[in-house]
Amino acid sequence: MSMGDFLGIQPSELKFPFELRKQSSCSMQLTNKTDQYVAFKVKTTNPKRYCVRPNAGVVLPNSVCNVTVTMQAQKEAPPDMQCRDKFLVQSVIAPEGATNKDVTPEMFNKEDGKLVDDFRLRVVFVPANRPSPVPEGDEEGTSPGTSSAEDEIKKSSLPEAAQSVVSKLNEEKASIIKQNQKLLGELELMQKRSREGQRGGVSVVAVVVGLLLGILVGYLIRK
């Protein structure tokens, strides 16, 4: 805590989480450790950028007053995230029983020989909170060993009935693949025989047609 003659001010600098196009706020705590009423006023070198609530008031003896400073949304970041803005907190002994409505600019006029305490605070921009980075293993994908371990865990967590169904489906899948390979082999053999039949002057189509006619004639004779 930074101590002036009348007020203790915390923190000693104003830190604003900086994020483009978003408002940001921080607070000051003014502590009056005296037995007198203390009036205060907050000024800034850039009043268009900041909103201070309250920007003036009275801190009762042995009491605390919280001041909220809000920075308006910024369209661009300053070079190297350095800010030259500053704040000035002025404090002066106020009449006993004074209220916030009794605070006037003339109370802080040093020309009248009044003892006015000045305390300056600089503004600091800090990066806004960001989500934690994803571990490298998650970005690049898990290794085969890791995937296998995860599969085992998933299998062990399945009910026995579900495991039986999964096993049966895997067997049927393997059987279908085997049958497809067999059909492909037979198809290649038929194509090969078709090419040989065309070279010998006999078409496989003619053979098939002859077989179909023979079957039809036999069926009619049985009729």
Side-chain angles (χ1 to χ4, degrees):
M1 178 182 294
S2 300
M3 294 296 298
D5 291 337
F6 305 126
L7 295 177
I9 301 174
Q10 186 182 13
S12 59
E13 57 185 16
L14 298 179
K15 295 182 179 181
F16 291 90
F18 187 89
E19 190 171 357
L20 289 176
R21 297 178 177 82
K22 286 189 177 181
Q23 286 188 349
S24 179
S25 299
C26 67
S27 61
M28 288 187 292
Q29 189 177 73
L30 311 183
T31 303
N32 180 6
K33 292 188 175 182
T34 73
D35 296 329
Q36 297 176 295
Y37 286 71
V38 176
F40 72 90
K41 184 176 182 179
V42 182
K43 298 180 180 180
T44 177
T45 57
N46 195 344
K48 292 183 179 181
R49 178 177 289 182
Y50 303 96
C51 177
V52 183
R53 291 290 181 271
N55 61 351
V58 174
V59 186
L60 301 181
N62 301 303
S63 298
V64 176
C65 177
N66 292 315
V67 177
T68 301
V69 183
T70 301
M71 181 178 68
Q72 304 302 320
Q74 302 298 302
K75 296 181 179 179
E76 57 183 18
D80 300 326
M81 292 292 288
Q82 299 297 319
C83 183
R84 297 181 179 180
D85 299 338
K86 291 180 174 60
F87 279 79
L88 173 66
V89 180
Q90 293 183 304
S91 56
V92 65
I93 298 297
E96 185 175 352
T99 64
N100 294 342
K101 295 180 179 180
D102 298 325
V103 178
T104 61
E106 290 75 16
M107 295 176 65
F108 304 92
N109 191 349
K110 296 180 181 180
E111 295 179 356
D112 296 339
K114 292 181 181 179
L115 181 60
V116 180
D117 185 36
D118 293 342
F119 185 83
R120 291 174 175 80
L121 302 91
R122 70 189 187 100
V123 174
V124 177
F125 290 157
V126 296
N129 293 332
R130 296 178 181 177
S132 302
V134 179
E136 294 181 359
D138 292 342
E139 292 180 351
E140 298 177 359
T142 54
S143 62
T146 303
S147 297
S148 177
E150 291 178 355
D151 291 341
E152 291 298 328
I153 294 173
K154 291 178 181 179
K155 288 181 180 178
S156 63
S157 62
L158 289 174
E160 293 183 0
Q163 292 182 11
S164 176
V165 173
V166 171
S167 177
K168 186 175 181 181
L169 291 175
N170 288 334
E171 291 177 1
E172 292 180 356
K173 179 182 177 181
S175 176
I176 292 173
I177 293 174
K178 186 175 180 180
Q179 291 178 3
N180 288 340
Q181 292 176 346
K182 183 177 179 181
L183 291 174
L184 288 174
E186 293 178 355
L187 179 60
E188 292 178 356
L189 181 61
M190 290 180 63
Q191 290 177 345
K192 182 177 179 181
R193 289 178 178 176
S194 175
R195 290 194 292 269
E196 291 177 353
Q198 289 176 357
R199 287 196 296 269
V202 180
S203 172
V204 174
V205 175
V207 174
V208 174
V209 171
L211 290 174
L212 291 175
L213 288 174
I215 294 171
L216 180 61
V217 170
Y219 176 78
L220 294 174
I221 291 174
R222 286 197 298 270
K223 282 283 190 175

